[in-house]
Amino acid sequence: MITLLREHWALILGGSSGFGLASADKLSRCGMSVAVVHRDRRGAMGRIQPAFDAIAARGVGFRAWNLDALSAEGRETVLGELAELMGAGRVRLLMHSIAFGNLKLVAPQGAKPARPIAELAQALGVAEERVEAAVQALFEAGHAELVHLAAPAVYDESNFLDDEDFARTIYAMGTSLVSWVRPLLERRLFAADARVLAMTSEGNRAAWRGYAAVAAAKAALEAATRAIAKECAPHGLRANVIQAGVTATPALALIPGNAQLLAAGKLRNPCGRLTTPEDVAGFIALMCTDEAAWVNGALITVDGGEHLG
Ligand SMILES: NC(=O)c1ccc[n+]([C@@H]2O[C@H](COP(=O)([O-])OP(=O)(O)OC[C@H]3O[C@@H](n4cnc5c(N)ncnc54)[C@H](O)[C@@H]3O)[C@@H](O)[C@H]2O)c1
């Protein structure tokens, strides 16, 4: 187990779920103090609060703010209260793990993918409906190999991405990182040797249907992180992007065609399974060690080799 310092804080934007929460949990186990910014409905707190309580019970510093990390007021509240809370402590890690993007299509889908269900039914001499039902049941039970035979993803073809959708997503999941880095620097809240980590996905290059705005945000996030790596290195920051593999989280469940993405990810992964939030959290903890201080401006895949195809 890695040992980290209690006076070092992780400020995690999007820390109530998925990679953010798993990282908060892991870092607290390593002894680091944790500050989480998240935005969740009151109904979701029944799931989230026990996880926060477990972190606080480890004796590290802990605080969570349920507010909009994308608003100037929200940021002001967090930074003001965090400065007081930390005392002589400092932010060792700023992690951007916010999932808040528009998932509309750019254009109608056109021709739907062809599936040889009818041919298969004929060859087997059984009704098409029986083949369809059997394939679907097996696919939903985890047989990823049936991805091309299972029912295709359904997309909303009544509403398409507009300029506002793009702009909001690019800010929420991309350039908002800079909105947090600069005031942390200006207020001298970063530790002398600190990390900035941002989350990207293979959808940064691959064109996934419905992912255009998020993909644009990922490109912006990666560019912003490179700029931070270059311009903030003299201030002690090391900024890197982590490209996680496809992972079953609430954000992924909202992407149209997520069942197909999960199946394809599992089939491609040489380790034979999907990435978990905990796989990524372990690497985040490694990046917080002194020994990781020379990694700067990199895009690092943490996906068990899924990207190898
Ligand atoms: N799940 C995947 O397969 C996958 C793969 C690679 C990269 N990523 C990226 O990882 C990041 C985290 O995704 P996840 O899958 O862990 O998502 P998630 O849905 O599990 O968590 C999203 C977090 O964002 C927070 N959030 C949303 N809007 C907010 C706002 N306005 N202010 C404050 N917090 C807000 C939520 O409260 C939650 O804590 C995203 O950038 C995502 O694109 C996800």
Side-chain angles (χ1 to χ4, degrees):
M1 176 72 91
I2 294 162
T3 305
L4 301 169
L5 302 177
R6 191 184 187 282
E7 61 267 30
H8 278 164
W9 285 72
L11 173 54
I12 303 179
L13 311 177
S16 63
S17 174
F19 300 124
L21 179 60
S23 301
D25 186 78
K26 177 70 181 182
L27 292 168
S28 68
R29 287 175 193 275
C30 296
M32 199 166 169
S33 294
V34 174
V36 162
V37 187
H38 64 109
R39 196 175 196 201
D40 293 285
R41 293 178 197 281
R42 206 179 295 170
M45 291 310 294
R47 167 187 63 82
I48 298 165
Q49 196 58 52
F52 285 173
D53 292 345
I55 293 172
R58 293 191 185 116
V60 296
F62 178 74
R63 177 74 197 266
W65 290 267
N66 189 355
L67 51 74
D68 185 6
L70 307 171
S71 73
E73 312 81 69
R75 207 165 50 238
E76 189 57 40
T77 301
V78 171
L79 294 180
E81 293 181 13
L82 181 63
E84 244 179 68
L85 185 65
M86 290 196 304
R90 285 293 175 267
V91 174
R92 166 73 149 193
L93 166 69
L94 172 66
M95 176 180 179
H96 189 293
S97 193
I98 293 174
F100 183 66
N102 203 297
L103 296 163
K104 293 178 200 163
L105 296 182
V106 166
Q109 200 182 353
K112 306 279 186 287
R115 294 182 298 145
I117 294 282
E119 292 84 341
L120 196 54
Q122 200 177 14
L124 292 170
V126 295
E128 200 175 320
E129 296 72 34
R130 281 191 62 199
V131 175
E132 178 92 58
V135 163
Q136 199 57 29
L138 287 169
F139 178 63
E140 285 169 17
H143 286 279
E145 307 79 9
L146 293 172
V147 62
H148 297 302
L149 285 178
V154 178
Y155 301 95
D156 176 359
E157 303 202 30
S158 64
N159 209 350
F160 301 99
L161 279 174
D162 61 24
D163 293 347
E164 178 71 21
D165 297 327
F166 265 114
R168 269 196 278 145
T169 305
I170 289 170
Y171 182 68
M173 298 182 78
T175 52
S176 58
L177 175 64
V178 177
S179 304
W180 280 87
V181 167
R182 210 175 21 243
L184 278 158
L185 266 181
E186 283 165 2
R187 295 172 192 216
R188 300 182 188 286
L189 294 178
F190 275 122
D193 173 19
R195 314 277 177 266
V196 174
L197 294 174
M199 301 301 302
T200 194
S201 71
E202 205 177 18
N204 57 1
R205 285 186 308 276
W208 296 337
R209 215 177 282 280
Y211 202 75
V214 179
K218 295 302 181 202
L221 181 72
E222 292 172 22
T225 308
R226 282 193 300 273
I228 294 164
K230 175 114 177 171
E231 296 181 25
C232 301
H235 303 291
L237 299 194
R238 302 293 179 258
N240 295 287
V241 180
I242 292 176
Q243 180 177 308
V246 174
T247 307
T249 67
L252 188 91
L254 293 177
I255 300 176
N258 65 81
Q260 285 74 9
L261 281 178
L262 288 166
K266 187 174 166 193
L267 288 179
R268 284 193 304 147
N269 203 311
C271 292
R273 66 164 174 83
L274 289 165
T275 302
T276 65
E278 292 69 29
D279 291 324
V280 174
F283 186 72
I284 301 265
L286 268 181
M287 289 297 287
C288 289
T289 60
D290 290 346
E291 287 79 359
W294 207 237
V295 186
N296 193 30
L299 187 152
I300 305 157
T301 49
V302 182
D303 67 355
E306 181 189 315
H307 67 282
L308 297 171

